[in-house]
Amino acid sequence: MNEMTRNERESSEERKLELRLAPPGVENWFNTSNNNKQRAYDYDYDYESKLSLGNFLHFPSNKAIVKGKESSSSQTCCPKSVELQNGDNKVTAVSNTSQKRTAPGPVVGWPPIRSFRKNLATSSNSKPSPPESHTQQHNKVAGKKPIDNFGKGLFVKINMDGVPIGRKVDLNAYDSYQNLSSAVDELFRGLLKAQRDSSSCRGNKEEEKVISGLLDGSGEYTLVYEDNEGDRMLVGDVPWHMFVSTVKRLRVLKSTELSAFTLGTKQDKIPT
Amino acid sequence: MNYFPDEVIEHVFDYVVSHSDRNSLSLVCKSWYRIERFTRQRVFIGNCYSISPERLVERFPDLKSLTLKGKPHFADFSLVPHGWGGFVYPWIEALAKSKVGLEELRLKRMVVSDESLELLSRSFMNFKSLVLVSCEGFTTDGLAAVAANCRSLRELDLQENEVEDHKGQWLSCFPENCTSLVSLNFACLKGEINIGALERLVARSPNLKSLRLNRSVPVDALQRILMRAPQLMDLGIGSFFHDLNSDAYAKLRTTILKCTSITSLSGFLEVAPFSLAAMYPICQNLTSLNLSYAAGIQGSELIKLIRHCGKLQRLWIMDCIGDKGLGVVATACKDLQELRVFPSAPFGNQGAVTEKGLVAISMGCRKLHSLLYFCHQMTNAALITVAKNCPNFIRFRLCILDATKPDPDTMQPLDEGFGAIVQSCKQLRRLSLSGQLTDQVFLYIGMYAEQLEMLSIAFAGETDKGMLYVLNGCKKLRKLEIRDCPFGDTALLTDIGKYETMRSLWMSSCEVTVGACKTLAKKMPSLNVEIFGEGEQADCYVEDGQRVEKMYLYRTVAGKREDAPEYVWTL
C-alpha cells in the first residue's frame, strides 16, 4: 500500500515529464502529446504512427517492466510504450492490485532458463510410473505436499473476436477463474482499443474499456474454451484444476455470438 | 617470404591449436593460407549460416572435427519460433559427398533429423565422437543408427536435447565387438532403456571414463555398473530412488567406496530423501558437482553434502540451498571457479537466494571466474563488494527473477553495481544484465568492458544512447542480444559497419522498425537481416514504420539462406 501512495506522489511531481495513458479522472491523457514535445528525446520518434495496430504486438512483453519501474525518478526518459503500460498498471493498481502484484505476468522466455529445466519440478521425486500416481507416490515417500506445477508453463492460445492477433497465456500463473479473467481483460483491453482507434479517425479519442463479465455472461464478451475432446465449453463450470488439465485453447467471444453457434461437439466447431 | 620448406612450416603450425590463432595464420600470406588450410583438422563455426557447407569442405580437405552452432541463443528461452532453421543435414551431406574423414561432430542448438544421424553413421568410417547440446528433431532411432554403424565410436554425449522416444532398443544396437567407448551420456532421454544391454556395454568398455544415465536406470543396476567400471571419472546418476533399508542401498554404499576415480558427479533426476549420505565418501575427490537437475534434494541435505566437497571447482546447484547454504559453500569450497545457481521455482514468490549469498561466495571463493546466478534481488552495494573481492570474472551472468527490480535498499537502478563489475573485472568476456537499469550502465560497459565478447540485455535502458555506448565502446563485441529494450532505429543504424565485426545481433520487442531493417540490409550486403514475428506470415510487415517483433542479423559469406521458413523475411 505504501508503494502506491509513493507512486502517486511521484507521479504528480513528474507529471510534466512522464508520459501517461489512463482513463480520465486519474490523469488527463491529452497531456501526452505535450509531454512528448517537452521530452528530451534523442531519437526521432514518430508518436502518432506508434499507436497503429501493428505496434500493439509490442505491448504485453513490457509487462515485466512494470513492477520495478514504479518508483524510480529516472523513469522520465522511458519510451512511450513502456510508460503506457506503466500508466495502465498504475490505474489498475488503484482499483484492484493484490492479484496483479502476487501473480507475475507470464512473459515469454523469462526467466531465461531452458525448457528442460522448467519441467524439472514436476517430474522429480517420483518413479517413472503412470501419471496419476505421481503425486500420491511423492506424498508417501517425500512426506511433503505435492509440488505445484510452477516449474512448467502451460501456455494456451487465446483469441478474441474482432482482434486478428491472438495471444498466449500461461495458465499455471493463475490459480482461479477470477485471476484468469482479469488477465484476459488486461491482455486484450489495449488491443481492442487499438482496433477501434484504427478503424475510427486518427488519435486516441476513445478510452480503454474494461472487459468484464467474462465468466457470467453479463459482459459484452464471454470466455469459452476448447477441451481435449474438441468440445467448446463455457469457462467456469468445472473446478479450476480440472479446467487446467483439459483446456486446449481459449476464446473470447462476443456474448451475442453465444447463441449463434452450438456449445458442444467437434462437428459444430467454428474454424478459427 | 618463406625460407623454410612447407614441411617445416606445417610442423610449426601443428603447435598452433586455437581457432583464432589458426585463423590469424591463414591471413599472413597466400603461402601460409595454403599450408594452413591443408593442415587444419579442427574447425569451429559459431553460426552455421555464416558459410556454406560446400565452401567449408572445399577449403579444409583434411577436416577431422567440426563444431557447429545453429539457432540464436535466445532460442533456448522459446523466443525463436519453431522451424526457424539450423538444420545439420546439408552439412553432413556435403561432408559425406567429399573425401573428408570426419571423426568428430559437435552441434549446439541445431535441428538434427534421424536421417542426418543415419547418413552420418554410414559415411565416415573413422567417426569417433558425437556431441549434441540443446538440439532437437531426432528420435532414439537415429541413436540406434549411430550405435550400430559407428564402429570406432568413443563418445556419444547428449546434453539437454529434445529426443523423441521410439521405445526401440537403441542401446542394444552397439555391436558386441564395440569396445571403444570412453564417454556415454544419455541423461536427457526420457524413455526406458534395456538395462541388460547397458550393463553388458559397460562391461566390455574398459576405457569408459564418463557415464551419465537417465532416470530409467534403477539403483541395483547402478550398483552393478559401478562394480564393472571402477575406472569411471565422471558419473551421472539418473535415479537415486530406493528404500534406505534395502539390500540394494547397502550394496551401493559399499560399492561407492571403491569409486575413487570419480571427480565429477551429476544427475540425481530423482532422489530419495536422506540418501545422499551414500555419496559422502567420494565427495572429497570431486572437482565438479552438478545438482541443478535434482529438484528433489532439500537445502539442508545439499549443505551437508557440500561440506564434504573441499576440492570443488565447479558447482551447479539450485537455489533451495539458500543464502546460508552459499555461506557454507564459501567456507568449504575454496577452490571454486565456476558457480551456477538455478531457480527451483521460476514463477513462484519464494526468495531463495539474494545478494547475501553472492557476497558470501565472493568473500570465500576468490578464484571464482564464472557465475550464473538466479536470484530474487540484488543491491548495488553487494555488486560493488563482489567486484572488489573477485576481480577475475570472465563470465558474469546475473538474473533477477523480477526483471526490472531496483536495489531494494535504495530503490535505485543497478547501474552502479554492474558498473563496478565491469570496471574491476578487466578480463570479462561475457555479461548478462538484469534488474532496473538505465542508460548509465551501458555507458560504464562501453567505457570499461574492453574484453567483452557477449552481452545479453533484457528490459533495460532508456534511450538509443544505451545501445550506442555499447556498440561504440566494446571493441571485441561478437554477440549482442537484446530483448524488450527501448532501442530503436537510430541505435541500429548509427554504426552499421560494426556488425561486420560481430557474429550476430538479436533484437526482439525493441523499437526497431521495418524501414530501418530494410535500410541496413541494403547498405550491408555482407549481412543477413532476418525479421520475423511469432509465427506470423512474413507479409504482415507491410509498412516501413511498423515495429519489428524479432530481428536477427549476422555476417555471412553464404548469402541469403534457402531454408528459411515462410515467416522469416530476409531483407
Side-chain angles (χ1 to χ4, degrees), chain B residues 16-30:
Chain B
V16 181
V17 164
S18 90
H19 295 293
S20 51
D21 286 345
R22 299 244 15 167
N23 291 346
S24 303
L25 287 181
S26 67
L27 293 173
V28 168
C29 62
K30 280 205 185 117

Side-chain angles (χ1 to χ4, degrees), chain B residues 256-275:
Chain B
I256 288 196
L257 289 171
K258 300 202 177 82
C259 302
T260 51
S261 306
I262 294 182
T263 56
S264 169
L265 188 63
S266 63
F268 296 94
L269 307 171
E270 22 178 87
V271 52
F274 312 118
S275 61

